């Protein structure tokens, strides 16, 4: 989990957000493992990758350039925790508010 914390810290997130983001990935170690792989390589896992509601991180990233990397993995977490809201975001095209 340290690699994920480091990623957010280096990206300049406030510490409260670093803690919140890290905690959400701690609840989903399989998604965290794939995110850590992406942080190290900037490549998505293609074989035996995590799929939630028929979406993988790579599939999400292809839907919008805004969702590449961290956004894709955060949305996988959201798809697990609140699928209705996450699927609505996908359907609406990730509109910025």
């Amino acid at each position: 989990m340290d690699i994920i914390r480091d990623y957010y810290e280096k990206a300049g997130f406030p510490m409260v957000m670093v803690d919140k983001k890290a905690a959400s990935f701690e609840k989903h170690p399989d998604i965290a493992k794939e995110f850590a792989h992406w942080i190290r390589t900037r490549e998505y896992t293609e074989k035996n990758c995590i799929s939630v509601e028929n979406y993988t991180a790579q599939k999400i990233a292809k839907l919008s350039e805004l969702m590449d990397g961290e956004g894709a993995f955060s949305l996988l977490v959201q798809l697990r925790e609140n699928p209705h809201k996450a699927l609505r975001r996908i359907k609406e095209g990730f509109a910025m508010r």
Side-chain angles (χ1 to χ4, degrees), residues 60-75:
I60 293 167
K62 288 180 180 178
L63 295 174
S64 170
E65 63 185 37
L66 298 173
M67 298 307 290
D68 190 32
E70 189 273 339
F73 293 99
S74 291
L75 189 57

Side-chain angles (χ1 to χ4, degrees), residues 76-87:
L76 279 180
V77 169
Q78 188 177 28
L79 279 164
R80 249 194 211 154
E81 293 181 350
N82 191 342
H84 179 72
K85 181 178 179 181
L87 290 168

Side-chain angles (χ1 to χ4, degrees), residues 13-59:
F13 280 71
M15 203 48 144
V16 67
M17 286 300 297
V18 171
D19 292 340
K20 183 177 178 182
K21 293 277 196 176
S24 74
F25 281 105
E26 285 173 0
K27 295 177 194 171
H28 305 281
D30 54 343
I31 297 173
K33 182 179 176 183
E34 279 195 25
F35 184 29
H37 170 77
W38 182 87
I39 292 168
R40 284 190 302 277
T41 66
R42 295 299 196 256
E43 294 178 359
Y44 294 97
T45 303
E46 293 191 29
K47 292 184 180 183
N48 301 317
C49 55
I50 305 303
S51 178
V52 183
E53 299 287 332
N54 293 316
Y55 287 95
T56 64
Q58 186 172 37
K59 185 175 178 181

